[in-house]
């Protein structure tokens, strides 16, 4: 059907935009667009299939939507509504959906997902008549679970106007109701053309707006703020064994010898501004550093004053995965304070 082709190209455009834009860092939104694109292609392939084998392959593509879209939509909605989900629960959720999709891939080889499947030509296209296996029930449970959780998060967000855009919440609520309505209607009452690709394509277009908006106006997710900061601040990174791991361009301007340092090698002990101004204090900090601690100091060079900060790169499992040094020129700031 031509409508499936349109949905495929629109969702593919959204996916390309998210990848090419590069600054919208929500990976779940990228995964969601990718899954919808694959599923839309599957719907078209199913409508054009001319044998049981090709119809089963198309069905497996279609089920990328059923297996992953409800869960990914839930994660994206939580991101937009600023609801934090523990990482362990996210890992468990992904694992369950992957398990469900592995069961889908057994169609044609096992009866755990479809007990029987029959190919039925219909109006120039085709559809499958099937009876469901035991693991299909798990898919239905997770589908309605995430639809329900989406509604809960969205409705509760209506009362958090200081944290979430109510306009965004209303749009998400409309998506939730639309998806739930289409799925329930088609599952129990319809045997014809499915509206799922249309609804999901409209859904990702609507979700794209708050995602981009959050990037443009978010303090924490706005990469342009960091990019502006990094132009005037030097950053030097070290691993847990104080091996050099890299630095910013401004750091090389402050410490030209960094251009010759080797990655994952110890700091050279001969000459250079780093050894003159930072080496002793930095290794003293590392020797006694504890998670969450920082050390701040200053040094002077050519009548200019520089502020440095030593800190720890935390690791959730091992405690400390490395160290950082941040250096910035504070001469002008101090001069302004002196004038006042």
């Amino acid at each position: 059907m031509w409508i499936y082709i349109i949905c495929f190209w629109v969702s593919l455009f959204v996916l390309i935009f998210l990848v090419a834009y590069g600054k919208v860092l929500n990976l779940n939104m990228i995964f969601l667009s990718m899954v919808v694109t694959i599923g839309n292609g599957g719907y078209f392939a199913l409508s054009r299939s001319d044998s049981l084998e090709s119809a089963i392959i198309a069905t497996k593509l279609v089920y990328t939507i059923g297996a992953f879209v409800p869960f990914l939509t839930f994660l994206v909605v939580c991101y937009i509504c600023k609801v934090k989900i523990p990482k362990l629960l996210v890992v468990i959720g992904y694992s369950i959906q992957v398990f469900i999709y592995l069961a889908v891939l057994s169609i044609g080889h096992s009866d755990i997902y479809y007990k029987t499947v029959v190919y039925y030509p219909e109006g120039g296209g085709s559809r499958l008549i099937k009876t469901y296996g035991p693991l299909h029930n798990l898919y239905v449970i997770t589908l309605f679970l995430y639809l329900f959780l989406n509604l809960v998060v969205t409705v509760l967000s209506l009362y958090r106007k200081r944290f979430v855009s109510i306009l965004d919440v209303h749009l998400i609520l409309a998506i939730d109701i639309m998806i739930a309505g289409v799925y329930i209607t088609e599952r129990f009452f319809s045997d014809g053309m499915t509206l799922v690709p249309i609804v999901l394509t409209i859904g990702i277009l609507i979700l794209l707006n708050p995602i981009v908006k959050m990037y443009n106006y978010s303090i924490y997710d706005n990469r342009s703020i960091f990019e502006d900061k990094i132009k005037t601040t030097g950053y030097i990174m070290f691993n847990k064994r104080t091996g050099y791991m890299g630095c910013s361009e401004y750091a090389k301007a402050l410490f030209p010898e960094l251009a010759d340092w080797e990655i994952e090698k110890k700091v050279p002990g001969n000459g250079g501004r780093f050894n003159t101004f930072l080496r002793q204090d930095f290794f003293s900090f590392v020797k006694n550093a504890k998670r969450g601690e920082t050390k701040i100091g200053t040094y002077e060079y050519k009548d200019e004053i520089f502020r440095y900060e030593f800190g720890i790169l935390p690791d959730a499992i091992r405690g400390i995965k490395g160290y950082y040094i941040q250096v910035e020129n504070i001469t002008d700031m101090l001069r302004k304070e002196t004038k006042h």
Side-chain angles (χ1 to χ4, degrees):
M1 299 289 290
W2 60 268
I3 193 65
Y4 298 150
I5 285 291
I6 293 176
C7 290
F8 171 79
W9 283 110
V10 171
S11 58
L12 180 62
F13 171 79
V14 173
L15 176 61
I16 292 173
F17 170 80
L18 286 168
V19 174
Y21 196 62
K23 298 178 179 180
V24 180
L25 300 179
N26 188 269
L27 291 178
N28 290 315
M29 184 64 194
I30 294 177
F31 292 154
L32 177 62
S33 300
M34 180 173 63
V35 166
V36 171
T37 301
I38 294 171
N40 285 347
Y43 275 111
F44 175 73
L46 182 61
S47 70
R48 305 298 296 174
S49 60
D50 56 4
S51 67
L52 176 62
E53 290 75 16
S54 61
I56 288 177
I57 293 173
T59 298
K60 292 175 181 179
L61 294 177
V62 166
Y63 261 109
T64 58
I65 286 179
F68 295 106
V69 163
F71 175 64
L72 289 171
T73 302
F74 171 67
L75 294 181
V76 171
V77 168
C78 287
Y79 173 74
I80 293 172
C81 294
K82 298 180 174 63
V83 175
K84 291 187 177 181
I85 306 298
K87 291 183 179 179
L88 179 59
L89 292 182
V90 174
V91 171
I92 292 173
Y94 266 112
S95 300
I96 292 173
Q97 302 313 123
V98 168
F99 174 75
I100 290 173
Y101 192 66
L102 290 176
V104 170
L105 295 180
S106 74
I107 296 174
H109 306 284
S110 168
D111 62 357
I112 61 173
Y113 200 82
Y114 282 174
K115 288 183 178 180
T116 61
V117 57
V118 177
Y119 174 77
Y120 181 73
E122 182 180 62
S126 67
R127 64 187 177 95
L128 294 178
I129 301 175
K130 58 266 184 183
T131 57
Y132 298 119
L135 284 183
H136 187 271
N137 294 329
L138 178 60
Y139 155 72
V140 175
I141 290 171
T142 59
L143 173 66
F144 282 103
L145 172 64
Y146 288 118
L147 285 173
F148 172 74
L149 291 176
N150 271 347
L151 286 171
V152 171
V153 170
T154 306
V155 171
L156 291 179
S157 295
L158 291 172
Y159 302 95
R160 302 173 65 239
K161 298 180 181 180
R162 292 182 300 164
F163 305 99
V164 185
S165 167
I166 294 302
L167 176 60
D168 292 341
V169 173
H170 285 157
L171 289 174
I172 293 171
L173 187 60
I175 294 172
D176 290 340
I177 295 172
M178 187 167 54
I179 292 175
V182 166
Y183 179 81
I184 293 171
T185 300
E186 293 188 353
R187 181 170 177 81
F188 295 105
F189 302 107
S190 176
D191 291 324
M193 186 189 83
T194 177
L195 297 177
V196 170
I198 302 172
V199 171
L200 291 181
T201 303
I202 293 173
I204 61 172
L205 285 172
I206 292 175
L207 290 175
L208 185 64
N209 178 62
I211 291 288
V212 173
K213 186 167 60 177
M214 286 180 71
Y215 164 77
N216 288 332
Y217 301 104
S218 171
I219 295 173
Y220 299 102
D221 296 325
N222 195 326
R223 188 184 291 179
S224 63
I225 295 176
F226 175 75
E227 289 172 346
D228 185 60
K229 174 75 173 176
I230 206 171
K231 291 176 183 177
T232 57
T233 305
Y235 292 92
I236 311 173
M237 299 296 179
F238 300 87
N239 62 24
K240 187 176 181 179
R241 299 179 299 277
T242 64
Y244 170 68
M245 298 303 294
C247 68
S248 65
E249 289 300 316
Y250 186 65
K252 290 181 182 179
L254 296 176
F255 307 99
E257 65 271 23
L258 293 177
D260 299 321
W261 286 10
E262 295 182 38
I263 298 297
E264 294 198 58
K265 297 293 184 180
K266 295 290 185 179
V267 176
N270 55 327
R273 298 179 197 171
F274 181 90
N275 286 327
T276 301
F277 299 113
L278 299 180
R279 182 186 181 94
Q280 185 175 347
D281 285 347
F282 175 62
F283 283 103
S284 176
F285 168 77
V286 169
K287 185 177 180 180
N288 303 295
K290 296 180 181 179
R291 184 183 173 97
E293 287 185 344
T294 60
K295 180 179 180 180
I296 296 173
T298 60
Y299 68 88
E300 293 186 33
Y301 178 71
K302 290 186 177 180
D303 297 325
E304 293 188 307
I305 302 173
F306 296 85
R307 175 187 178 275
Y308 63 80
E309 176 181 305
F310 304 145
I312 293 172
L313 300 173
D315 187 296
I317 299 175
R318 293 172 292 179
I320 297 176
K321 65 181 178 183
Y323 307 90
Y324 71 86
I325 297 177
Q326 176 182 319
V327 185
E328 56 187 329
N329 191 327
I330 61 172
T331 307
D332 292 338
M333 180 181 69
L334 292 178
R335 285 173 181 168
K336 290 179 182 178
E337 291 178 355
T338 303
K339 289 180 180 180
H340 290 290

